[in-house]
Amino acid sequence: MDIEKEIQQKMRPFLPIKRVFDNEFISLVTELIFLIRSYGIDKVGFSNIKKDYKLFISAVHDGWKKAQIKISHNVINKLSEIESLEIKKKEFHRQKNKDAKQECINKINSLKSEILILRRFIDSIVWTILEDEHSTIRRLPLDDNLDNLSIKNLKEAIQTLEEINSNPFTIGISSDLTTFIHTGDLLVRNYFDGTLSIVELKTGKKNLDFCDAANFSLHSECPIFDEQYTKELSPVDLKHYQRTKKQLQHMKDVTNTINTGEGYDHFHKQTVKIQDNNYIPNYFSEKIMDSWRRISLGKLWDIHVIDECLFIGTYKNVEMGFVGFNSWMKVSNFNGTVFNINDSFKLKLTKPLLNLNLPNETIKDILLGEFIVVLCLDTEKFYNEANKIHPGILKRKRVTNSKLNTMDLVTVNGEAIYSENNGQEIYLGTGFLSRIIFDFQRPKNIINWIYKDSDVKRRDNREKNKKKKIIQNAKKSKSKIAKLSRRKQN
């Protein structure tokens, strides 16, 4: 790698999502942060939440619904503008007008960045609906990375959602507006009956007929239905029916997994069990808030080390961050990938920025690049810290199993980190890294969570029980000796 590319790579985590935000977009972002995070509390009043919880829930939903409508119309307008710019770009290319063509490209990229930010705001609502449970969120995407965002689909969703969202205790979200839901067209949650459903929007007689047939096939599990129903279909219609049935099967599996905690995961192609419900995280959000206050008062930088392995730098500007953090890495001898907290806008399965336990103003400053937060987890120090707290809890080795995607594993010097549970090797995926970097969860919290279900804990419990029995036996022996001694004296 040449020096220029190396510098660009090191500079990347300190750069804002977008070079310049216009005043109109800043106003929209400010309004949306309020609608999504504060509208319900502001409308009902914090002291009245417990007094009238139903009113509070309907007010929260109202804020989300308003936000979704604003985001939908903004995204549609931006998509329409992109379509016009693409036509102009081709024309400028034909005319060999490089400057005008590049201006179109820059504007298109700027609009795409704004659309991404707005869609992650919708992601924030979905994460809140699903109680920020990573394992639940990871059930919703497919591994094909399809993105069906289009003006037509959004307009159809808006019409249907208008009716669904007329119920104050129900919230419906357009799947296409999110960055990660590849299942169905709408995600619908009724707060008080606790149901979560995925809705597929179908129009046209053929679509509806195939949908009805596929539903019957799935629910009846009739062994001969598909053969009888499809025998006279044309090859094109057969593929259409099979695609419809596959979509409905996926919806059924996802809904079942989310509602029951167990089921088939189409993203990882395996049966899974959701465990987050028993997981109580500890966060270091207060450290970020402390730094934001200091920098707001005029300080140019602030740094933290969390649990000996997570290094955090906060800065007022790009130059200070680039020089300061890289110098700190060099003198402190810590290594790892450096992330900007705003990378969560590009990494679809990370917790959205709006869901962090930070004030609205802090969220806004981070988004606009006025408060830079970078984080680096040194995986070797994490590995050593874990084994210092719970000796033997983590092991590592080079992975040769082709079924394991080594790009999705946490590694130290090319060796994958794993723990053992009932004799099985449980590898640490990048989901653990995501919880630390983008959730602000303390590394020790993750370490203790791994320990909770590990063979090391079972071993430690056996050792504790042995010691307990030895102590109990010693007490019994001492008591017997004392009794014998008293008898002799008598």
Side-chain angles (χ1 to χ4, degrees):
M1 185 185 294
D2 59 42
I3 294 175
E4 186 177 346
K5 283 187 178 178
E6 186 177 351
I7 291 173
Q8 286 177 352
Q9 188 173 317
K10 286 186 174 181
M11 178 68 81
R12 187 208 62 78
F14 304 91
L15 298 175
I17 304 174
K18 190 169 177 266
R19 289 287 184 181
V20 180
F21 292 92
D22 60 50
N23 290 333
E24 185 180 350
F25 191 72
I26 291 172
S27 296
L28 176 62
V29 162
T30 304
E31 184 180 8
L32 290 173
I33 290 173
F34 171 75
L35 287 172
I36 294 169
R37 302 180 94 236
S38 304
Y39 182 87
I41 296 173
D42 188 74
K43 188 172 182 180
V44 175
F46 187 80
S47 61
N48 295 321
I49 292 175
K50 289 184 179 179
K51 294 177 185 176
D52 196 339
Y53 201 62
K54 283 189 175 183
L55 180 63
F56 172 65
I57 291 300
S58 66
V60 170
H61 284 177
D62 194 29
W64 291 350
K65 291 166 187 176
K66 289 175 185 293
Q68 181 172 215
I69 291 168
K70 284 183 176 294
I71 289 170
S72 296
H73 290 308
N74 269 274
V75 169
I76 287 170
N77 290 338
K78 291 178 192 301
L79 287 174
S80 180
E81 193 174 348
I82 287 172
E83 287 180 358
S84 299
L85 286 165
E86 288 288 358
I87 294 169
K88 288 181 181 178
K89 186 183 78 173
K90 288 178 182 177
E91 181 61 24
F92 289 135
H93 178 75
R94 190 183 64 78
Q95 295 172 2
K96 297 183 179 180
N97 189 336
K98 290 183 179 179
D99 291 340
K101 179 185 172 183
Q102 188 58 50
E103 190 176 332
C104 283
I105 292 171
N106 293 342
K107 182 61 177 172
I108 288 168
N109 290 336
S110 176
L111 288 167
K112 285 181 177 179
S113 293
E114 291 179 356
I115 288 173
L116 177 61
I117 290 168
L118 296 177
R119 293 179 76 186
R120 285 297 278 168
F121 278 23
I122 292 292
D123 287 356
S124 170
I125 297 173
V126 175
W127 273 72
T128 306
I129 290 169
L130 297 176
E131 299 177 348
D132 288 342
E133 290 182 359
H134 281 254
S135 293
T136 302
I137 298 295
R138 287 172 180 269
R139 306 291 77 84
L140 292 166
L142 290 172
D143 61 355
D144 54 16
N145 275 323
L146 285 175
D147 191 348
N148 296 319
L149 187 67
S150 70
I151 293 173
K152 176 178 175 291
N153 289 348
L154 289 179
K155 285 183 176 179
E156 287 178 359
I158 288 171
Q159 289 177 351
T160 308
L161 284 170
E162 189 174 345
E163 181 180 348
I164 290 171
N165 284 334
S166 62
N167 182 338
F169 305 120
T170 297
I171 176 69
I173 299 293
S174 167
S175 299
D176 287 349
L177 262 185
T178 73
T179 66
F180 66 93
I181 299 180
H182 302 148
T183 310
D185 296 308
L186 307 175
L187 183 77
V188 181
R189 176 70 180 267
N190 183 290
Y191 186 85
F192 286 104
D193 66 21
T195 58
L196 184 136
S197 55
I198 296 167
V199 178
E200 186 81 23
L201 298 179
K202 295 291 183 186
T203 56
K205 187 178 184 304
K206 186 177 286 188
N207 273 334
L208 293 171
D209 287 346
F210 285 162
C211 193
D212 288 341
N215 261 319
F216 177 81
S217 176
L218 289 171
H219 288 95
S220 69
E221 298 182 352
C222 176
I224 62 169
F225 176 80
D226 275 6
E227 182 183 348
Q228 293 297 316
Y229 181 77
T230 62
K231 65 183 180 182
E232 294 184 5
L233 293 180
S234 69
V236 172
D237 283 348
L238 177 61
K239 284 184 179 180
H240 188 168
Y241 171 74
Q242 289 172 337
R243 186 169 61 251
T244 301
K245 185 176 177 181
K246 186 178 178 181
Q247 289 171 343
L248 294 176
Q249 179 66 62
H250 184 215
M251 286 166 54
K252 180 183 174 185
D253 289 341
V254 169
T255 306
N256 179 63
T257 304
I258 292 173
N259 287 328
T260 66
E262 291 185 61
Y264 186 76
D265 181 341
H266 288 261
F267 187 78
H268 292 101
K269 304 287 191 294
Q270 62 185 16
T271 302
V272 296
K273 184 175 182 179
I274 297 174
Q275 297 179 326
D276 283 14
N277 291 325
N278 299 320
Y279 175 51
I280 303 173
N282 294 317
Y283 300 96
F284 55 84
S285 307
E286 75 284 351
K287 298 288 185 185
I288 306 300
M289 284 190 277
D290 288 344
S291 293
W292 176 71
R293 292 186 192 102
R294 292 185 187 114
I295 287 175
S296 296
L297 292 171
K299 193 175 181 183
L300 296 178
W301 59 272
D302 200 28
I303 58 175
H304 306 279
V305 180
I306 309 292
D307 298 338
E308 311 300 327
C309 59
L310 177 64
F311 298 80
I312 304 170
T314 59
Y315 303 94
K316 180 66 178 174
N317 58 61
V318 172
E319 293 75 17
M320 176 62 71
F322 174 71
V323 174
F325 198 80
N326 282 294
S327 299
W328 186 31
M329 285 186 78
K330 194 171 182 179
V331 300
S332 300
N333 194 30
F334 66 88
N335 299 287
T337 304
V338 181
F339 292 94
N340 188 308
I341 191 60
N342 276 336
D343 287 339
S344 65
F345 282 95
K346 298 171 186 174
L347 301 172
K348 298 173 183 178
L349 292 180
T350 58
K351 181 184 281 189
L353 179 65
L354 268 66
N355 290 59
L356 295 177
N357 185 24
L358 298 172
N360 286 359
E361 282 302 312
T362 310
I363 295 284
K364 180 182 170 184
D365 285 350
I366 290 173
L367 172 58
L368 299 179
E370 294 174 9
F371 175 55
I372 299 168
V373 181
V374 292
L375 309 95
C376 175
L377 179 72
D378 188 313
T379 54
E380 186 169 12
K381 293 185 189 303
F382 173 82
Y383 176 88
N384 293 335
E385 184 67 15
N387 285 314
K388 179 181 172 184
I389 297 169
H390 303 295
I393 183 63
L394 294 183
K395 299 178 181 179
R396 66 194 208 202
K397 69 177 183 182
R398 294 200 176 274
V399 175
T400 56
N401 188 339
S402 60
K403 289 183 180 179
L404 288 170
N405 180 2
T406 53
M407 295 300 290
D408 195 39
L409 300 179
V410 178
T411 61
V412 174
N413 299 324
E415 295 180 320
I417 300 175
Y418 67 96
S419 63
E420 290 180 331
N421 187 344
N422 292 320
Q424 289 189 320
E425 295 174 353
I426 309 297
Y427 287 87
L428 270 67
T430 49
F432 285 97
L433 184 69
S434 169
R435 292 172 192 269
I436 294 170
I437 299 293
F438 297 108
D439 287 30
F440 294 165
Q441 293 185 25
R442 288 181 171 273
K444 279 185 180 176
N445 191 76
I446 300 291
I447 292 166
N448 290 330
W449 185 35
I450 296 167
Y451 175 73
K452 184 168 66 86
D453 292 319
S454 70
D455 288 347
V456 170
K457 184 177 181 182
R458 293 183 184 92
R459 180 202 68 193
D460 290 347
N461 285 341
R462 286 194 298 269
E463 291 297 322
K464 285 178 184 178
N465 290 333
K466 280 181 185 178
K467 288 179 182 178
K468 192 175 179 181
K469 285 180 181 178
I470 290 169
I471 292 169
Q472 287 173 345
N473 289 335
K475 285 181 178 178
K476 287 178 182 178
S477 297
K478 201 171 182 182
S479 177
K480 285 180 181 178
I481 292 169
K483 284 179 181 179
L484 287 170
S485 177
R486 285 195 295 272
R487 284 176 185 172
K488 286 179 181 180
Q489 288 175 3
N490 293 333

